[in-house]
Amino acid sequence: MKSNVRNAFNNNGFVLEYQPIVEVLSYRHIGKLLKNIFYKKAKDDLKYEVLVRMIDPQDPTKRISPGAFLPIIEEEKQNIQLTTRVIKLACEFMLVNSGNFSINMTAADLN
C-alpha cells in the first residue's frame, strides 16, 4: 500500500468528491436551509464537504477511503502536501461552481 500511495502522489492518483451537507430529517440541502433562515440576500449558498479519495491502482473506477491511506500519508510525513493539494483543487472547483465548502484537517496540518 505504501508504494500505491507514493504512486498516487506522483501520478495525480487522488480525487475529490463534493458531498452535499443536508439536514437529516428533511434531506434538504443545509445551504439552502441556512440561506432561507440567515442569509436572505445570498444568491446561492450551497454547502459541501470536500472528501479526498485515492484512485484504486488495480481498478481506476474504484476509490480507496482515507482510512486506508491516511495513516501511511502521516507516517511518510506527506499530510501537509496532501492537504495543500486538496485545498488548491477545492478552491479551483469552487471558482467555477457556486457554493461553500468545508475541509477536515488534522492537528498536524495546522502546525
Side-chain angles (χ1 to χ4, degrees):
M1 180 61 115
K2 282 186 182 184
S3 63
N4 289 341
V5 172
R6 282 189 210 107
N7 288 335
F9 266 106
N10 296 329
N11 300 306
N12 294 320
F14 294 99
V15 294
L16 300 185
E17 295 176 356
Y18 300 87
Q19 177 175 301
I21 300 173
V22 298
E23 181 185 50
V24 176
L25 297 177
S26 69
Y27 295 105
R28 287 189 295 175
H29 196 278
I30 196 70
K32 294 255 187 217
L33 177 66
L34 290 176
K35 182 175 106 177
N36 291 338
I37 296 170
F38 299 109
Y39 307 108
K40 298 286 186 199
K41 295 183 181 177
K43 65 173 195 173
D44 193 10
D45 197 29
L46 301 177
K47 307 272 188 220
Y48 298 93
E49 181 175 9
V50 178
L51 308 171
V52 63
R53 302 290 185 253
M54 191 172 91
I55 299 170
D56 187 329
Q58 280 74 43
D59 183 354
T61 64
K62 294 185 179 177
R63 304 294 181 251
I64 298 172
S65 73
F69 64 83
L70 279 182
I72 296 167
I73 298 265
E74 290 171 354
E75 178 184 316
E76 301 278 320
K77 308 258 189 267
Q78 293 178 314
N79 48 315
I80 301 296
Q81 186 180 358
L82 179 62
T83 300
T84 302
R85 188 176 295 184
V86 167
I87 292 169
K88 180 181 180 292
L89 291 172
C91 289
E92 288 172 358
F93 177 83
M94 287 300 163
L95 280 174
V96 295
N97 296 282
S98 62
N100 296 304
F101 61 90
S102 63
I103 299 172
N104 293 330
M105 299 170 69
T106 66
D109 294 329
L110 301 174
N111 286 332

